[in-house]
Amino acid sequence: MIERVKMVEGLTNEEFLNITRQKFKNMVKDAKPLMTWFSLTEECNLRCRYCFADSHKPLEGELSTREAFKAIDNIAKAGTEAVVFGGGEPTLRKDLLEIVNYAVKNHDMFVAINTHGQALTDKRYVRALASAGVNQVKISVDGLEKSHDWNRGKGTFKNCIQALKNCVEEEFPSIWLIATISQVNFDEVPELIEFCAELGVEVGMVQLLPLGRAGDLKKLMLTKEQTREWQRIMFEKKKFYGGNNVLFENRYQICEDERSLKVAVDPNKTGNFVDSPVGCISGIWQYLIGADGKIFVGDVMAPETDIGNVTEKSLSEIWQNSELIKLLQDREKLKGRCGKCHLRYVCGGCRRMAFGLSGDIMGEDPQCWR
């Protein structure tokens, strides 16, 4: 893979590293918290086997409607433009439509919901979500029927498919089927992508991370070889169906993506992660909000990644003063293979995976196959 960088750009590894390091520093110098996952509740009426959040009951001290409004005001002032309302299960919040509408009407935010889809079998509710201003619907479907129902419960797959069809009928701007990939459904990846194309929805895939209820299911993680095969499949499907229709955690695939490597050293592509690849954006442009208002970075909710609370202090102030954010933005502090890799400013490994498997947010990514 190292030779491919030289072949594409005619640069040594050190030259590639120096160019991308400077671009990265320029891009993140004034980086704002542009995007967030906002868990509105930890309550969930399913008991999925590999739920990373171990969602079941509401979290103590979950934000009220008015507190959620104030939190949205706070994050909008800090520069947040897009929010994914998740959980738990966000549709269990009776005020979900009200909260969505507030974010759209008052701050012109791009709003998505991440749901298990069971409530969206009701066409009236789907219509209400559209009327409230939801731009994007993400429905979790973990493989084909047998695999999905093994994880989420009998009959939930059929409900998810009906929910997706209802969303297509309602013509949301963006509709995603989101799958967590594991040993359970690895062989179904190509068929699942074709299935999404037939439904007329986009497909997104993430790797299983054994946290929460999945803590004892490390054996279901993909091997490094499977991760490589999966990402290569996704890369080819992305080229075939178009970049907006296939989404996946392509952090390692950058080493085989000649077009992205060229963009990475293009001096005219210097806006943000949309213009030039930087890999993991958690703590740079992206963060998480818990149901009680706590703010997390590193793409995982844990005491070690908690940097403050949106109900107590300005997000802008928290963002500027957080030592953890400063650490995540300094890739010279990466450890192990990630710290030595000349692609660290266009990849940097997955900080969630590193933290989840080793407890060190700056540790090497143990799933990297390169």
Side-chain angles (χ1 to χ4, degrees), residues 1-13 16 232 235-236 239 252-262 342-343 369-370:
M1 305 310 169
I2 293 175
E3 290 304 313
R4 179 166 288 205
V5 174
K6 292 179 181 178
M7 180 179 66
V8 171
E9 298 299 339
L11 300 172
T12 66
N13 293 342
F16 182 90
R232 285 175 174 171
F235 185 64
E236 291 305 315
K239 289 195 293 184
Y252 322 127
Q253 190 60 40
I254 183 72
C255 69
E256 296 185 352
D257 184 352
E258 294 182 10
R259 179 184 175 278
S260 292
L261 292 172
K262 287 180 179 179
H342 71 282
L343 297 175
W369 44 262
R370 183 176 179 277

Side-chain angles (χ1 to χ4, degrees), residues 12-208:
T12 66
N13 293 342
E14 192 64 27
E15 288 170 333
F16 182 90
L17 176 63
N18 289 336
I19 292 170
T20 54
R21 177 193 285 119
Q22 190 57 52
K23 280 188 66 175
F24 179 88
K25 288 183 176 180
N26 290 340
M27 285 192 287
V28 305
K29 182 171 54 178
D30 300 312
K32 293 182 179 181
L34 294 176
M35 303 180 297
T36 188
W37 165 285
F38 193 159
S39 176
L40 290 176
T41 181
E42 285 305 306
E43 182 179 10
C44 188
N45 50 358
L46 297 183
R47 291 285 287 174
C48 305
R49 294 182 192 233
Y50 44 70
C51 176
F52 68 90
D54 196 15
S55 297
H56 182 44
K57 297 179 180 179
L59 190 68
E60 185 176 345
E62 292 190 349
L63 301 183
S64 67
T65 305
R66 188 154 299 279
E67 287 172 330
F69 288 170
K70 289 182 178 179
I72 292 169
D73 292 339
N74 187 351
I75 66 176
K77 189 174 182 180
T80 300
E81 300 174 358
V83 56
V84 179
F85 290 120
E89 175 49 45
T91 61
L92 295 180
R93 287 276 306 224
K94 297 185 185 303
D95 57 359
L96 174 61
L97 299 175
E98 199 175 348
I99 292 172
V100 166
N101 188 250
Y102 185 87
V104 173
K105 185 177 180 180
N106 290 275
H107 298 291
D108 196 28
M109 284 187 175
F110 179 94
V111 173
I113 62 165
N114 199 111
T115 171
H116 60 39
Q118 306 307 293
L120 276 62
T121 56
D122 182 345
K123 291 186 177 182
R124 291 173 300 179
Y125 186 68
V126 172
R127 196 170 301 119
L129 287 171
S131 297
V134 171
N135 303 99
Q136 184 179 76
V137 180
K138 298 181 176 182
I139 297 178
S140 298
V141 182
D142 296 318
L144 302 177
E145 186 168 7
K146 184 178 179 180
S147 298
H148 174 92
D149 282 1
W150 173 86
N151 179 37
R152 296 182 179 265
K154 188 175 181 180
T156 57
F157 178 83
K158 290 180 179 178
N159 287 341
C160 284
I161 302 311
Q162 185 58 56
L164 287 165
K165 290 178 178 178
N166 290 346
C167 290
V168 170
E169 184 177 321
E170 195 57 42
E171 298 183 338
F172 284 90
S174 178
I175 306 162
W176 286 91
L177 179 154
I178 298 290
T180 298
I181 300 304
S182 69
Q183 296 289 346
V184 176
N185 56 17
F186 173 71
D187 292 335
E188 299 171 355
V189 167
E191 189 173 352
L192 191 59
I193 296 171
E194 302 299 327
F195 183 64
C196 289
E198 292 173 6
L199 277 175
V201 302
E202 298 101 326
V203 58
M205 296 188 185
V206 297
Q207 284 178 267
L208 171 68

Side-chain angles (χ1 to χ4, degrees), residues 188-285:
E188 299 171 355
V189 167
E191 189 173 352
L192 191 59
I193 296 171
E194 302 299 327
F195 183 64
C196 289
E198 292 173 6
L199 277 175
V201 302
E202 298 101 326
V203 58
M205 296 188 185
V206 297
Q207 284 178 267
L208 171 68
L209 180 60
L211 297 175
R213 271 201 297 278
D216 295 328
L217 298 177
K218 190 174 181 179
K219 63 183 179 181
L220 294 183
M221 291 184 67
L222 301 184
T223 65
K224 290 182 181 182
E225 292 73 24
Q226 287 174 320
T227 299
R228 179 175 58 198
E229 182 180 349
W230 165 61
Q231 293 202 340
R232 285 175 174 171
I233 291 171
M234 297 297 285
F235 185 64
E236 291 305 315
K237 295 297 184 181
K238 191 179 184 76
K239 289 195 293 184
F240 182 79
Y241 288 110
N244 293 326
N245 295 313
V246 178
L247 175 72
F248 68 107
E249 295 176 316
N250 60 342
R251 50 189 175 270
Y252 322 127
Q253 190 60 40
I254 183 72
C255 69
E256 296 185 352
D257 184 352
E258 294 182 10
R259 179 184 175 278
S260 292
L261 292 172
K262 287 180 179 179
V263 170
V265 292
D266 185 341
N268 297 313
K269 300 287 187 178
T270 56
N272 57 37
F273 64 96
V274 175
D275 299 311
S276 192
V278 297
C280 182
I281 62 173
S282 184
I284 303 173
W285 291 286

